[in-house]
Amino acid sequence: MIALDVSINSTNPKTQTIWSDCLKVIKDNVPNMTFNTWFAPIKPVDIKDDILTIQLPSNFFWEWIDEHFSSLLNRAIKSALGENGKIDYIIVEEKEIEEPKIHIPTINIINKETAKPEQPDFESDLNSKYTFDNFIKGEGNQLARAAAGAIADNPGGTSFNPFFIYGGVGLGKTHLIQAIGNTIKNKFPKHRVKYISADRFTVNFIDSLQSNKGNEFNNFYRSMDVLIVDDIQFLIGKEKTQDLFFHIFNAFHQSGKQIILSSDKPPKDLKGMDDRLISRFHWGLNADMQPPDLETRMAILYKKANDFGMTVSSDILEYIATNITSNIRELEGCLIKLLANISLSSKEITLSLAKSIVGEISTSKKVNIGIDLITKCVCDYYKVDENKLRDKTRKQEIVLARQIAMYLSKEMTKSSLKTIGLHFGGRDHSTVIHACNTIEKSVLTDNIIKDSINTIKSKIEISCS
Ligand code: ADP
Ligand code: MG
């Protein structure tokens, strides 16, 4: 491998063809996301004596590819060039054009004096830091991202109305729905776009009633072209607000104006939400957001580290991506903590620093999660009575729920085996060990159990975040 600071243009016309042949083999062997992240950015440079030289954008890329895909690349080059085929790498760092930036929440201030006449007379409450450009695609958000793009191109004009996305905390729902709003505002400056969380919507509505401005509130929302309501689950139990929202929803839908909603669960699981609303949430498109897989987590860390202007070696990024698995907010939080640590003391980013930060993040989470909450979430999910988990029942579905609750208590809290056993009807610590082993095995072989556990985990995390 050699490092160059200029790009070489191949004179050999075979270069591109051979590389395309390699890409075909690679594409058949890796998921799309992996392909797009790690192979699409590679440029073929030259071919000489059965050696294809390819250009990678950074050292980090080279390390990752060399470690994870060298045998695949070998196979690919041999199938394209025959047994003597080999690959050589060069690294050409593409300089970031943008200044490194750290996300600091922006405060929107409207200057009335200088406001242009066509500027709307209200705050859309969108945060301009959320864009499609800085939203990283992965298997878990593919559908949601694609639909979001289509809506931003043609608000109200697709069958995705309402657009309803759901998923656990920190998976990018707010980012994505705000990116739609920001894009629409850029593309269609005359469109009135409003973003609000369901929580705030409720508070503002109640305020408006108390100050006899209920009509004004209603008319204000009806005057929008695009309405984005975040965390719609917060309307649960707020009957009056749901009723108002129902009428606003109908007015929007009838006049073909775009409604965009996010939620922590799919419409059918929104217990306590008006059935009329739930059925309307199904009218358009429901898209779920899943936790990112390892490749996507690596891509996110790599991109964000770059955005922050940080240089972090691949083994450190890999350590973080392997140990922080549940959501993107935590991945980002980990980088920010690393950044804070090194900028305060001009320390180097080392693996041991990364380990201690990852440790802190996991512990602070564990403090808030208790066995009772875990038991409740497991029982809600399997629709079984919590008391049954504590008594002697050996019915199959109860045993499964009990074992999962024990397994999650071991994994998500700092409780000892003895304490866990006590919570489940005074069972012995060896019963807890047996439960954990059984579930660990099932997770590896049974996708239904694996998915159920992931869903329950994200519910637990939402409940205590
Ligand atoms: P949610 O609303 O689902 O709880 P957020 O949209 O608030 O999650 O995302 C949490 C953080 O992670 C935000 O800072 C967001 O910018 C970032 N983030 C989430 N998904 C992505 C993604 N796919 N690409 C880049 N950043 C992301
Ligand atoms: Mg959110």
Side-chain angles (χ1 to χ4, degrees):
M1 188 205 30
I2 41 170
L4 297 181
D5 55 3
V6 282
S7 201
I8 305 170
N9 282 322
S10 167
T11 46
N12 190 336
K14 260 172 64 190
T15 313
Q16 187 60 54
T17 327
I18 297 291
W19 180 237
S20 301
D21 289 347
C22 291
L23 286 180
K24 277 186 210 134
V25 177
I26 293 165
K27 207 165 187 157
D28 286 342
N29 284 286
V30 298
N32 264 347
M33 171 66 198
T34 309
F35 183 84
N36 292 336
T37 310
W38 303 106
F39 295 97
I42 298 178
K43 293 178 191 149
V45 178
D46 202 5
I47 183 156
K48 218 189 211 165
D49 305 330
D50 286 340
I51 299 177
L52 173 72
T53 306
I54 56 176
Q55 175 186 316
L56 308 179
S58 67
N59 251 322
F60 167 77
F61 242 82
W62 176 75
E63 286 172 22
W64 180 263
I65 286 190
D66 192 51
E67 195 174 326
H68 295 85
F69 304 113
S70 58
S71 70
L72 175 59
L73 268 173
N74 253 329
R75 256 194 292 150
I77 192 69
K78 288 195 177 5
S79 97
L81 277 176
E83 269 310 300
N84 292 329
K86 282 204 178 63
I87 287 204
D88 198 6
Y89 307 92
I90 60 167
I91 294 167
V92 178
E93 303 241 358
E94 279 155 17
K95 292 271 168 294
E96 282 272 312
I97 305 160
E98 274 176 272
E99 290 286 318
K101 46 183 180 287
I102 299 174
H103 294 307
I104 297 167
T106 54
I107 301 164
N108 290 328
I109 300 165
I110 279 203
N111 183 339
K112 299 265 188 231
E113 308 266 304
T114 54
K116 296 196 193 100
E118 71 266 23
Q119 233 170 6
D121 48 359
F122 66 99
E123 280 290 350
S124 67
D125 282 322
L126 289 162
N127 186 332
S128 59
K129 83 170 189 184
Y130 294 121
T131 65
F132 284 139
D133 279 347
N134 61 18
F135 184 85
I136 294 160
K137 295 179 202 168
E139 310 249 324
N141 61 37
Q142 227 163 20
L143 171 67
R145 169 63 183 84
I151 290 162
D153 285 341
N154 192 2
T158 64
S159 54
F160 308 153
N161 198 15
F163 178 43
F164 186 105
I165 58 172
Y166 62 91
V169 278
L171 295 181
K173 300 182 299 296
T174 298
H175 188 138
L176 193 60
I177 59 181
Q178 291 222 21
I180 305 177
N182 282 319
T183 311
I184 293 176
K185 266 181 52 181
N186 286 336
K187 279 196 178 162
F188 311 95
K190 294 232 164 77
H191 273 34
R192 291 165 66 83
V193 181
K194 179 73 183 170
Y195 166 88
I196 191 159
S197 79
D199 218 12
R200 189 103 296 275
F201 184 83
T202 307
V203 172
N204 290 358
F205 175 53
I206 293 165
D207 282 353
S208 78
L209 292 182
Q210 278 164 359
S211 50
N212 268 330
K213 287 186 173 156
N215 271 340
E216 240 171 78
F217 181 87
N218 192 351
N219 290 336
F220 171 74
Y221 281 93
R222 285 173 185 241
S223 77
M224 295 299 144
D225 298 301
V226 177
L227 178 59
I228 306 172
V229 186
D230 206 353
D231 291 317
I232 197 81
Q233 75 272 9
F234 289 131
L235 291 192
I236 286 178
K238 312 277 164 42
E239 275 154 34
K240 258 192 164 162
T241 318
Q242 284 184 32
D243 190 53
L244 172 89
F245 184 69
F246 174 74
H247 292 291
I248 294 177
F249 185 106
N250 285 343
F252 261 69
H253 205 268
Q254 270 155 23
S255 42
K257 299 197 288 186
Q258 183 71 48
I259 304 160
I260 298 165
L261 306 169
S262 86
S263 161
D264 66 347
K265 32 179 124 43
K268 69 174 174 40
D269 292 346
L270 290 170
K271 294 190 188 82
M273 186 76 86
D274 188 341
D275 286 340
R276 300 177 304 174
L277 274 174
I278 293 186
S279 83
R280 274 161 181 74
F281 294 161
H282 281 121
W283 281 357
L285 178 73
N286 293 181
D288 70 337
M289 310 262 284
Q290 293 288 333
D293 56 20
L294 178 68
E295 299 296 345
T296 312
R297 297 200 296 279
M298 281 300 289
I300 288 171
L301 283 170
Y302 176 56
K303 166 94 176 48
K304 296 216 178 233
N306 247 336
D307 285 352
F308 291 153
M310 299 162 75
T311 323
V312 191
S313 72
S314 69
D315 56 334
I316 294 180
L317 291 189
E318 196 180 345
Y319 179 80
I320 300 172
T322 313
N323 286 284
I324 296 191
T325 53
S326 62
N327 79 52
I328 298 162
R329 184 173 296 142
E330 278 177 12
L331 287 176
E332 205 173 65
C334 191
L335 282 180
I336 291 170
K337 280 195 166 180
L338 271 177
L339 189 65
N341 258 278
I342 53 162
S343 54
L344 284 177
S345 59
S346 65
K347 271 192 281 192
E348 284 263 314
I349 300 181
T350 57
L351 189 57
S352 72
L353 179 62
K355 280 185 179 169
S356 82
I357 286 173
V358 167
E360 271 171 37
I361 291 179
S362 330
T363 332
S364 68
K365 239 170 58 182
K366 285 185 178 183
V367 169
N368 294 325
I369 296 176
I371 300 177
D372 289 342
L373 175 65
I374 293 173
T375 309
K376 180 179 175 305
C377 291
V378 171
C379 290
D380 280 354
Y381 183 86
Y382 284 109
K383 305 204 171 41
V384 301
D385 180 358
E386 284 185 40
N387 289 322
K388 289 249 158 50
L389 259 51
R390 289 178 206 112
D391 69 25
K392 296 223 154 23
T393 316
R394 301 221 36 94
K395 266 196 183 155
Q396 211 181 340
E397 75 263 24
I398 304 285
V399 172
L400 178 68
R402 189 185 293 132
Q403 289 186 330
I404 288 180
M406 287 180 173
Y407 164 82
L408 289 174
S409 300
K410 171 82 182 25
E411 197 183 291
M412 301 180 86
T413 75
K414 288 197 287 189
S415 312
S416 67
L417 295 170
K418 197 171 165 203
T419 312
I420 297 173
L422 281 176
H423 269 80
F424 295 94
R427 287 178 157 79
D428 192 79
H429 83 280
S430 61
T431 313
V432 182
I433 295 178
H434 174 70
C436 294
N437 290 342
T438 310
I439 299 302
E440 260 165 36
K441 274 188 210 137
S442 309
V443 168
L444 295 175
T445 53
D446 185 334
N447 277 335
I448 296 179
I449 292 200
K450 187 173 138 202
D451 289 346
S452 304
I453 289 181
N454 281 337
T455 309
I456 297 168
K457 267 172 103 169
S458 72
K459 289 195 172 149
I460 296 168
E461 272 156 10
I462 291 168
S463 313
C464 70
S465 66

